[in-house]
Amino acid sequence: HAPHELQLTAIPYHYHEGFLPETREQFQSSFLIYDDFISVEEEQSLFNEAISNFRETERKHWNAHNLPVIQRLQKFAFEPHLKLLPYVHVLDLAPQGYIKPHIDSARFCGDIVAVLSLLSDSVARFVHDQSKDQIVDCLVRQRSLYVMKGSSRYDFTHEILRSEDSILKDPNDNERKIDKTRRISIVCRCEPDVTIRHKT
Ligand code: OGA
Ligand code: MN
């Protein structure tokens, strides 16, 4: 699992009808996803440590087993000049839980957001903030790492759909139901840019 062996995953995307080709290019080059970024064993170990007591927590310290995994993620996803936020956000979504559409505040979070998914597959939906008919759904697999930067980070809201809404259409319009169970995500962010260069 050395990062240099990682391939960008050709994940199932479903661009809703009317999604413009130029917007698609913008989105696709700014939203990256890597399947199997961590092993089953690393997932179990992170799970054990991530969820002690809290449903949603911030973690500054990781045990000796998990710290290298977190550091591998950070080194892989963030350009070296970016300063990482010391706290890593851990979210524990119940099987019926979901994350509402939002854009991570540019006042508290910098240019890159990297998210590791444990325990369950899910569907992430992106909706263009300025034209709500530009919608794309992406399969986010268990143990994958996804990275938002540029357009996907700033121009689109992101959300994690409810299990019952987690349906992904393929290019032939066949529907695939994704069974979202309990899901834990580990969210790494960097410091906001003090020179206020919010939009790319
Ligand atoms: C967030 C967020 C997405 C995820 O915490 O801001 O968007 O996949 N999380 O957990
Ligand atoms: Mn977010």
Side-chain angles (χ1 to χ4, degrees), residues 72-92:
R72 188 175 87 215
L73 184 170
Q74 293 176 329
K75 212 170 159 211
F76 179 78
F78 293 85
E79 287 147 39
H81 71 277
L82 294 171
K83 207 161 172 250
L84 292 160
L85 289 179
Y87 287 94
V88 172
H89 207 165
V90 177
L91 276 133
D92 186 356

Side-chain angles (χ1 to χ4, degrees), residues 89 91 99 102 104 115 117 146 158 160 183 185 187 189:
H89 207 165
L91 276 133
I99 298 175
H102 66 279
D104 289 26
V115 181
S117 297
Y146 74 78
H158 55 274
I160 297 293
R183 172 181 183 268
S185 49
V187 185
R189 298 186 174 93

Side-chain angles (χ1 to χ4, degrees), residues 22-90:
E22 55 269 32
T23 315
R24 183 170 168 149
E25 230 160 79
Q26 235 182 31
F27 178 81
Q28 212 143 309
S29 62
S30 67
F31 180 71
L32 313 174
I33 198 159
Y34 304 88
D35 278 354
D36 294 309
F37 188 82
I38 53 171
S39 67
V40 170
E41 192 274 329
E42 287 168 336
E43 178 188 33
Q44 184 61 45
S45 176
L46 282 166
F47 167 65
N48 288 339
E49 183 173 12
I51 298 308
S52 38
N53 300 326
F54 300 99
R55 278 264 171 246
E56 182 173 353
T57 185
E58 285 179 327
R59 243 180 203 280
K60 198 168 188 174
H61 303 290
W62 296 85
N63 70 34
H65 194 86
N66 292 328
L67 183 61
V69 180
I70 298 295
Q71 287 174 336
R72 188 175 87 215
L73 184 170
Q74 293 176 329
K75 212 170 159 211
F76 179 78
F78 293 85
E79 287 147 39
H81 71 277
L82 294 171
K83 207 161 172 250
L84 292 160
L85 289 179
Y87 287 94
V88 172
H89 207 165
V90 177

